[in-house]
Amino acid sequence: MGKHFFAALRRHLNTFLTLMLVGLLFLALRWANTRLDDFTLRILRTGAVYIVAAVSYNLINGITGQFSLGPNGFMALGGYVVALLMLPVPQKQFVWFLEPLIWPLNSFSFASTWYFFGLSLLLAGLMGAFGAFLVGIPSFRLRGDYLAIATFGFGEIIFVLANNLIPLTNGPLGMKGIPELASVYWCFGWAVIATLVVSNIANSSYGRAMKAVRDDEVAAEAMGVNVFQAKMLAFVVSGFFAGVAGGLLVPLITTISPTLFTFTMTFNLLIIIVLGGLGSITGSVITAFSFAIASEVLRAVESPMNIGPIHIPGIAGMRMVVFSALLVLLMIFYRRGIFGQFELSWDWIRSLLTKAAGEEVRKKWTRGKTSS
Amino acid sequence: MDTGKNIVLKLEHLTIKFGGLIAVNDFCLEIEKGELVGLIGPNGAGKTTVFNIVTGQYEPTSGTVLLEGRDITGWRPHLIAASGIARTFQNVRLFTGMSVLDNVLVSQHLRLRSPFLSAALHLPDYAREERHVRAKAMDLLERLELTPFAKELAGNLPYGQQRRLEIARALSTNPKLLLLDEPAAGMNPEETTRLMRFICRIRDEFSLTIFLIEHDMRLVMGICERIRVIDYGISIAEGVPDEIRRDSRVIAAYLGEGGE
């Protein structure tokens, strides 16, 4: 039996290693959850949500090569779904004081339990996927950059609707008092799911079809790839996870309003995936998390400071200047992003280890030779 | 239907107009199983346009394309690829950002049976299929002597190997009919000789029917069993290499009408 176990272990080594890593992450989260203060935890959770959004955005922009500007729209859809489902009924009556909320949402809410929250996140994802499906059908019938225009328009439409459909969204006032359900487990759980699913897709036959579409659409079609289907799958999956990311962000900050999902959100995600390297999932994960942390750390540049005799008053928005400058520098020196198209994988680590081991053996060998 | 003869590709009265320009005019051709047929003509004669119609890139204004008796006119390119026609391109069009192995694997996608969800979740049925197609692709690379480059990015290969990989990628779709668009373009005489042997070898090994466009007369005259010549979209001659070499209309088309 032991033999069988080890045979299976060797065959599925990468899966076992991944599971172990996820286990370790879980332990680290448990530690963080009890030891770290709320402020730090909040940054970590935001980082995890950015991972979900960035990784899924990379699937359509980096891996399939279709320039979408839509994640803010899909995130807004997901965010409003979760907000409307999870906001308790008394709070709803309190928030909609100008016009009443439409039926049946005014008389019903999910209880704040983990399974209802999980369900509402799935619905948020499906809503994002449905949005992507609607935008994708007309856009992918055309070849070229129509997707960028269509998705940009979609985001703006959602923004206008959120501002004006007061009986559904409460307009510019938005909602507050949404239960803070997005714990570290939820955020990092979805970050792990999004990363694993997207990298599985990228490394599968479907992912190869998507990359083929990115590299040469005409050749891909001639080799039997259904180009429309490949783009559509990537876009809908991307929309799904964007919806989930929006659904996680809202119960993290406990409020929602149309300004949360403006084009700035898409712009931030674009910075993340370009900095990380278009098409590199590893790059997206690391840069997304670093971006969330850097956004907090760089708050320092927005406060008033004294550099020698010069006094600089606090300038709101200085952080974005720093990010933009970083982006410009990167485009000059590392045009393909920090990670290019590199992917961290178990096989890569193993090849590195065997190389190192080989080096060790060679050293021993030459030392033995010289000493004898 | 023809009996006794085994027609793989039959083109009936193909015509395509781009605005006022008639790029291909009333083009008819039959290719038998196992044949190696060449299509030649001066630049701009409409040779690649014929290929683009056969592979579904263009829809003809009129006429039909029959593959083994089945009408495939106007089908989407990926469906035509699935039904058994593969091609290479005049200027190499590889998936340059992907490895050599992945380039060949893309062509296996049309035969994939696992649903999207089992690929996304890497379920056992997908994992089994993936192992199977990888073994098949490695086998193909081995037969075409590309194994040493398997993990290399396609865009980093030397030109000759890129051309070879493009043929490997086409073969990976498991075609009945292979269309080669100027396979010897940019090759020196020695490389061309090797290519000629290579084309004959893959025809036998993969039991293919081959239809090719080429400007290199040594290659066309050396390996094609039958040659069709077109000029300004119109067929002007057809025959075995020796007949074509002596045909006055062909000479005129290539060298211009005498006396000018």
Side-chain angles (χ1 to χ4, degrees):
Chain A
M1 199 198 119
K3 214 183 222 169
H4 280 296
F5 175 73
F6 282 111
L9 184 72
R10 206 164 307 136
R11 188 155 177 187
H12 300 288
L13 187 59
N14 289 355
T15 319
F16 277 105
L17 286 170
T18 309
L19 283 176
M20 265 173 61
L21 193 70
V22 172
L24 279 176
L25 177 70
F26 176 74
L27 289 178
L29 290 179
R30 271 191 63 158
W31 176 86
N33 212 14
T34 50
R35 294 297 171 84
L36 298 179
D37 59 288
D38 278 353
F39 177 70
T40 317
L41 277 175
R42 202 178 151 120
I43 298 170
L44 294 181
R45 279 147 67 201
T46 313
V49 174
Y50 271 135
I51 290 176
V52 178
V55 165
S56 63
Y57 191 29
N58 204 356
L59 180 64
I60 186 71
N61 274 31
I63 291 166
T64 320
Q66 306 301 306
F67 194 55
S68 156
L69 292 172
N72 62 320
F74 306 133
M75 286 176 80
L77 286 178
Y80 275 101
V81 166
V82 168
L84 285 167
L85 289 174
M86 302 311 295
L87 193 69
V89 175
Q91 185 69 15
K92 281 180 175 171
Q93 280 156 0
F94 174 70
V95 166
W96 269 266
F97 59 83
L98 288 173
E99 284 178 55
L101 176 62
I102 53 158
W103 186 88
L105 289 166
N106 62 352
S107 54
F108 130 99
S109 280
F110 280 163
S112 301
T113 54
W114 68 266
Y115 43 90
F116 276 125
F117 181 47
L119 180 64
S120 73
L121 281 177
L122 277 182
L123 291 172
L126 290 176
M127 194 65 165
F130 181 66
F133 180 74
L134 286 185
V135 182
I137 285 178
S139 315
F140 292 141
R141 296 215 173 274
L142 304 165
R143 216 170 259 177
D145 292 330
Y146 300 98
L147 185 68
I149 300 158
T151 46
F152 179 74
F154 180 77
E156 292 305 299
I157 291 170
I158 297 290
F159 182 72
V160 170
L161 288 181
N163 264 321
N164 293 292
L165 279 182
I166 293 173
L168 186 64
T169 63
N170 203 29
L173 294 174
M175 299 165 229
K176 56 186 172 191
I178 297 159
E180 194 173 352
L181 291 160
S183 62
V184 275
Y185 301 114
W186 277 111
C187 295
F188 280 89
W190 274 103
V192 168
I193 291 171
T195 309
L196 288 182
V197 167
V198 171
S199 67
N200 274 346
I201 292 173
N203 294 320
S204 75
S205 190
Y206 289 94
R208 289 190 291 266
M210 290 166 190
K211 291 176 200 164
V213 169
R214 171 193 68 194
D215 284 356
D216 192 324
E217 217 172 302
V218 172
E221 219 173 13
M223 295 305 128
V225 173
N226 184 341
V227 171
F228 181 77
Q229 188 203 46
K231 289 176 182 175
M232 208 60 180
L233 280 173
F235 197 44
V236 167
V237 170
S238 175
F240 177 85
F241 284 113
V244 170
L248 282 166
L249 194 62
V250 167
L252 195 163
I253 54 185
T254 72
T255 63
I256 186 171
S257 69
T259 48
L260 183 58
F261 302 106
T262 54
F263 188 69
T264 314
M265 179 67 84
T266 292
F267 183 65
N268 287 348
L269 291 170
L270 198 58
I271 290 181
I272 290 170
I273 63 169
V274 173
L275 279 180
L278 278 175
S280 167
I281 299 165
T282 312
S284 293
V285 170
I286 293 172
T287 334
F289 202 66
S290 317
F291 185 89
I293 293 169
S295 299
E296 286 307 318
V297 172
L298 286 175
R299 261 181 211 287
V301 300
E302 295 190 1
S303 57
M305 17 178 191
N306 289 305
I307 303 171
I310 311 159
H311 174 76
I312 303 167
I315 305 166
M318 264 309 272
R319 280 181 296 168
M320 287 319 291
V321 177
V322 175
F323 281 124
S324 303
L326 203 64
L327 194 65
V328 171
L329 283 177
L330 222 89
M331 284 303 101
I332 294 170
F333 296 110
Y334 288 92
R335 198 154 300 162
R336 306 185 57 207
I338 300 167
F339 289 88
Q341 288 203 3
F342 168 80
E343 291 296 357
L344 192 64
S345 68
W346 294 119
D347 291 332
W348 181 79
I349 293 173
R350 238 189 335 257
S351 76
L352 209 67
L353 286 178
T354 43
K355 221 181 274 170
E359 203 65 39
E360 205 55 36
V361 169
R362 194 159 34 217
K363 257 187 217 153
K364 246 181 222 161
W365 175 243
T366 45
R367 216 180 301 141
K369 257 180 150 176
T370 47
S371 67
S372 67
Chain B
M1 286 269 99
D2 304 79
T3 47
K5 274 203 279 181
N6 198 348
I7 306 291
V8 172
L9 182 75
K10 187 169 182 179
L11 307 177
E12 291 176 331
H13 308 290
L14 284 184
T15 298
I16 188 165
K17 293 179 190 158
F18 297 112
L21 177 84
I22 304 173
V24 174
N25 196 356
D26 200 31
F27 187 86
C28 299
L29 183 71
E30 284 185 3
I31 301 180
E32 274 178 63
K33 186 168 169 42
E35 255 193 312
L36 211 168
V37 178
L39 179 63
I40 63 172
N43 283 323
K47 304 182 296 293
T48 300
T49 310
V50 171
F51 270 27
N52 284 342
I53 295 171
V54 173
T55 57
Q57 238 100 52
Y58 296 153
E59 202 173 329
T61 314
S62 62
T64 47
V65 181
L66 300 165
L67 178 70
E68 293 182 327
R70 189 160 53 151
D71 188 352
I72 57 166
T73 322
W75 283 23
R76 305 285 307 131
H78 68 268
L79 295 175
I80 290 183
S83 69
I85 300 181
R87 71 173 295 179
T88 65
F89 295 90
Q90 196 172 342
N91 35 357
V92 184
R93 300 189 81 142
L94 288 170
F95 307 126
T96 46
M98 302 170 74
S99 72
V100 167
L101 178 62
D102 281 354
N103 265 269
V104 174
L105 281 169
V106 166
S107 304
Q108 297 280 332
H109 186 63
L110 58 92
R111 243 169 279 287
L112 187 77
R113 261 189 261 134
S114 309
F116 180 62
L117 211 61
S118 43
L121 303 177
H122 207 84
L123 299 181
D125 66 323
Y126 176 75
R128 209 172 308 123
E129 208 177 351
E130 175 80 14
R131 273 200 299 280
H132 175 69
V133 293
R134 270 178 189 275
K136 239 169 86 178
M138 283 309 288
D139 181 53
L140 181 69
L141 290 182
E142 181 69 47
R143 287 166 75 178
L144 300 189
E145 293 142 32
L146 285 165
T147 312
F149 309 107
K151 287 188 172 167
E152 202 79 45
L153 280 187
N156 294 346
L157 291 190
Y159 181 73
Q161 303 293 347
Q162 289 198 5
R163 286 240 163 234
R164 183 174 280 237
L165 174 58
E166 219 193 7
I167 294 176
R169 187 181 67 175
L171 288 177
S172 183
T173 63
N174 221 349
K176 297 166 190 145
L177 173 68
L178 180 63
L179 307 184
L180 301 172
D181 197 345
E182 294 193 28
M187 286 188 175
N188 63 33
E190 192 194 333
E191 286 171 324
T192 307
T193 310
R194 230 176 300 143
L195 177 72
M196 287 161 68
R197 251 177 288 153
F198 178 71
I199 293 174
C200 293
R201 198 190 102 203
I202 58 170
R203 174 176 63 160
D204 299 339
E205 257 184 56
F206 295 85
S207 48
L208 293 170
T209 305
I210 295 178
F211 186 24
L212 64 82
I213 295 174
E214 187 50 70
H215 277 304
D216 189 315
M217 284 305 139
R218 197 161 60 89
L219 184 141
V220 177
M221 298 294 167
I223 62 172
C224 292
E225 292 150 355
R226 192 149 60 87
I227 297 167
R228 166 68 64 93
V229 190
I230 62 172
D231 192 17
Y232 294 113
I234 300 165
S235 297
I236 56 171
E238 186 182 318
V240 296
D242 270 340
E243 292 167 356
I244 296 298
R245 203 173 284 146
R246 274 172 290 152
D247 192 294
S248 57
R249 279 166 305 173
V250 177
I251 297 167
Y254 267 92
L255 303 177
E257 304 292 341
E260 281 210 289

